[in-house]
Amino acid sequence: MFFSFFCDAQQEYFQQRVNYKINVNLHDENSSLSATEEINYVNNAPQALDFIYFHLWPNAYKNNSTALAKQLLWQGKTDLYFSKPEERGFIDSLNFKVNGKSVKWEYDKEHIDICKLILNEPLQSSDSLIITTPFYLQIPNAKFSRLGHTDQAYYMTQWYPKPAVYDRTGWHQIPYLDQGEFYSEYGSFDVKITLPDNYVLCATGDKVINADEEDFIKKKISDTEKEIERRKGIKNEASTEDFMPASSKLFKTVEFKQSRVHDFAWFADKRFYVLKGELELPHSKRKVNSWVYFTPKNLKLWKDAIEYVNQSTTFYSFHNGDYPYNNVSAVDGSIMAGGGMEYPNITVIGEVSNAMELEMVITHEVGHNWFYGILGSNERDTPFLDEGINSFYEMRYLRAKHPEIKVAALAGKDSTFKLFGLNKIPYWKYQEIPFYVNLRARKDQAIALKSTEFTTSNYGGIVYSKTSLVMDYLMDYVGESVLDSAMRIYFDNYKFKHPSPNDLFKTLEAFTGKDLRDFQKHLIYSTDHINYKLKKSKRQEKGYALTLKNKTGSILPFNIYAYDKNNKVLGVHWFDGFADKRTVTLPEEAHHFKIDGIDRMPDINRKNNSIKAQGLFKHERPLRFNFLSSFEQPSKTQINYSPVIGGNFYNGPMLGLALHNYGFYEKRFEYLVSPMFAFNTKTPVGFAEFNLNFYPKSVFRSITLGTKAKTFAYDFYDTQFMNDNLGTNFKDLYLNYYKIAPYLKFEFQKKDPTSKITQQITYTNNNLFTDSLDTSAYQTFAVSGPIKKNNYTFINQLSYDLNNTRTVDPFRFNFSLQHTGSMAKVSAALNYQITLTKKHAIDLRFFAGAFLAGSLEERSYYAFRASGYNGWHDYAFEGNYLARNERNGVGFSQFMERDGALKVWSPLGQTPEWMTALNVKSPKFLKIFKVFGDVVVGDARALNTDKFLWDAGINIVFWNEIIEVYIPLLYNADIKKTLELNKVSFPNTIRFSFNIHKLAVKSILQNSFF
Ligand SMILES: [Zn+2]
C-alpha cells in the first residue's frame, strides 16, 4: 500500500531521542527524594543546538506565582494558593554537567519550572551528549495536582529534570499546568528506586528480575485473593480503615526498564493490594501482563479491575493496533485530587463511586497508552488528538460492551431511574451532555484550540466530548471498518512519533477516500454549527420527495433514514452537504423519515430532523410530561411540571402547579407558568416568565427578549371597624398587584472566553397595575362595602452589570438608571470581596445614588432609603415579601439590602436627593456568623443632628444572600432616639432578608453541570 509522509511545515520531520538512567532514594520520613540522573541526548535535528531547555516541573508547586498556581486559581482551586509552606514542593540541588564538564544554566525568566542549559560547545546534528545532574525533590501534597504524596502514599509523576521537545517548529519549553498536558521526547528509561522494603511499588516499564521482590509481590497477590475471598461473605463490613503501616528499617532497590516511551511514572504505597492477570493481543497473539494496585478501602470496588484492564487493552489493540509493551497497569489513586491520569504503561485512577464508573475510567486511561503514550502528539497545543480521539474509543467501548446501561448509572442509579430522563440516554452517550450544555448556550469553542485557550467546561465539553461525537459522526459516514483500517494505518505510521492534526486528517482522507476539508473546517477548526431541517414531504409516483433546509450553512454530509409505522428501518441514504435548500427523492413507501437517523451528527437542533410522510400534522410530536425537568427527547414535545407551594400574609397558603420547558440545555424559546390558588382570598395568583433568545454571533453572546409577570395580594382593607360600627357584615377587601415586565437583555460576548468577567445590559419596562381603595366612592361604602380601583404606573430601568467571578477578590458592579414619565434616578453599587483565606473573606459594598429629575412628591415616593427596602418601599415589586404592607411583625422585619442597606430599621435617611453608603461584613466565624457594619450619608434633609447614620451588629447567614438574619447592636444616637420614639424594642430591631426571587429555575438547571 502506498503511503508518504505529508509534511505541513517548512522542514522535514525529525525527532530527538532522550535516554535516561535515574537512581532515586525515597525518604519517606520527610517525603523527599534524592536522585542522580544521566541523560543521553541525541540530536537528530538537521541543525546544531547551542542550548537545551529542561523542564523542572516539581517547581510548579513551589509558590503562588508559578503558571500552575495561577491556573489552579483561575479554575477556582485555592488549595495551592493558600497552602502551608510544608505542603508545597520543589526541585533543587541541581548541578548540571555535560560530558562530565560543568555548564552554565539559568532559570527561565518567567517560569521557575523551566531552565536552559547553555552548552559549552554546540551539539552538532546527529551527535549526542551525556548530561548528568543530582537532584533533590521535596514532594508536594497530592491535593494540588498530579505529583504528590498523601501521608506515605506516593504518586511520582513529572518528577525528574527532563529536556523539552525540540522539533521542526522549534523548542517547546512549557510550564507545568493542570489543564493542559504534555509533549515529550521518546527514548528509554532505566530507573532504580530505593525505598523501605515493605512498599508495593509499580511503575512504567518492565521490572528487572529480582527474586526477593518477586516473592514479595507473589505474597501480596495471594494475600489479596484471600482478602477478597474473606470479604465476600461480609455484607455490612465495618468501614475498613486504610491504616498506614510503619516503614520497614530494611531497604530494597527495584529497577524498571522501558524503551520507546516518553515519560516515566512510579507509585508506592505500603497498603496496596495487588492483582495480576494476562491477556492475549488480538493481532499478534503476544501475551501482556496486566496489573492492578488498590488500597484496602477500595477492595470491593477494584476486585474485578483486572478484567477492565484486559478488556480495554484488547479493545484498543483490536481497533488501533497491538499494545507494544509487556505490562499494563492501573493504580488506585483515589486519595489524590482529580480524576484519572495516564502515564506510559501505567495509569492512576481517581475517586470513582461505582464499578461501572471504575470500568469507564480504567478504559479511558488505559486507552491513553495509544493516544498519548504510543502516539506522542503535542497535547498542550492539540489536546483533541489525545483526549478527544481517546474519548471516541472509550465511547465505542461502552457502546459495544454496555449498550443497555443508561446514563443514570453515572449517578449511581440503575437504568430504571426515571428522573430527568436519565433512563433514556445510553451511558455511552454521556459525552453529549457537557457538549450540548455549552453548544446550546453558544459558549462552545473550536476543537483545534490549545489547552490553555479553553474554558474549564469546554476543556471537557469540547476537547473530550465534541471530538468523540464528531469522530462518531465521521465513522457513521465512512463506515466502521473503513475508519478502523484508516486509524490502524495512522497508528502504524506514527507510533512513537509526534503526529499533528494534519497527519491524522491526511491519513483519514487517503484511506477513506473522502475529502474531509469541510469536515475539518466546520467541525474541527471553527464553532460552525450543524442544523439540517426536514421541511416538506410530498408523495411521488414511487416514494417521496423530501425538501430539506440547511439552517446554518455548514456543508456536511448527512443521512436520511426511512421508517415504517413500527419504526423499522426501511432504508438509509447518504447525501452530500449543500448550502441552503434542496429536494431529494427517496424510493421507500415509508411512514416517516429522519435526518441523521441514529443521532450521530452534532446537530444543534434535532427537533426539526423528522417528518411524517403523510398527513396534516407532519411535524407533530407527542406530548410528554416530566416531573421537574428532563434531558431533551427531540421526538417529543416535553412539558415539565412540579407542584408549587407558597404563602403570604394576605393570600394565605397557596398551592399550584409550575409548567415549564427549562431543561439542561438552553432553548430559543423558554417559558415558565405557575398558576396557584390562594386559599385565604380564594383567588388565582401566580407568576410566569417567557424568554426568546437570539444569538447574533457578534458583540453579544445572546440577546433575550423576555417578560416576567406576577400577581399577588399586597394589602387589605380591614372591614372589622366598619362592621362593628355599622352593623354590616362586609368581608375584608384584598388589594392585588399585577406586574408585567417585558425586558431586553444583551449579554456581551467575551473577547477571551477564558475571562472571568461577564457583562450585560438590560432594559426593563415594569408595568404595575395596583389596587387601591377607591376613596372617591367612600360615601357608598356603607351600602356596597369597600370598593377598590386599579391604578397603572410604570418604571423603566436600564442597567449595566459587570460580574468578575475570579477566585480571589471577586466583585460585581451594577449601574442603573430608573425613570418614569417625569422622574429619573441613577445609582451604582459595587460588591467587592476581599479574600483572606480559603474560607474567609471580607465583603464590602459601596453604594451611591442621586436623582436627576422629578417633582419632590415623586422623588419622595421613589426615595433612596438608608435602611433598605421594607415591603412597602419595593415600588417595582421585585422582591417576594411575606407581608408586603404590614408595619409590624414579619412585615416590619423583612427587608432587602438596597440603597443604604443599614440593617437596623430607621425612618431616618429617606432622601429625595442623594445618598452614599459603605457596608462591611466580616469573615464568617462559628460557621454561620459574621459581624456587620454600615455607614450612610445622605443630603442634610434626610438626617437629623448626626452627620452619618451607622450601625453594627451580628449577621447570621443561613443561606448566603438568600436567607440572612441581622441583629443590630450598635447605632448612632439619632437612630436610637427614633427607635425609642417609635417604641421599637430590641427583639423588634432584628431583621431578616428572604430573597427567594434570586433563585431561578433556568440557571439552577443550566449551571448544574459545571
Ligand atoms: Zn484522558
Side-chain angles (χ1 to χ4, degrees), residues 181 340-342 361 364-365 367-368 371-372 379 386-388 390-391 394 464:
E181 296 182 356
M341 187 60 203
E342 63 277 6
V361 179
H364 179 96
E365 304 305 340
H368 274 299
F371 304 99
Y372 152 80
E379 301 175 278
D386 163 41
E387 293 297 356
N390 182 37
S391 297
E394 172 214 314
Y464 291 63

Side-chain angles (χ1 to χ4, degrees), residues 385-437:
L385 283 182
D386 163 41
E387 293 297 356
I389 306 285
N390 182 37
S391 297
F392 166 58
Y393 284 95
E394 172 214 314
M395 174 197 254
R396 291 180 66 185
Y397 173 93
L398 294 172
R399 182 161 60 206
K401 193 159 173 239
H402 302 292
E404 299 307 322
I405 295 190
K406 304 299 180 194
V407 84
L410 262 181
K413 309 283 181 189
D414 71 40
S415 292
T416 56
F417 184 77
K418 285 203 178 69
L419 194 64
F420 303 130
L422 293 176
N423 59 332
K424 302 276 182 201
I425 309 171
Y427 189 82
W428 62 264
K429 255 191 168 180
Y430 78 90
Q431 299 280 12
E432 281 196 351
I433 299 170
F435 168 59
Y436 272 89
V437 168

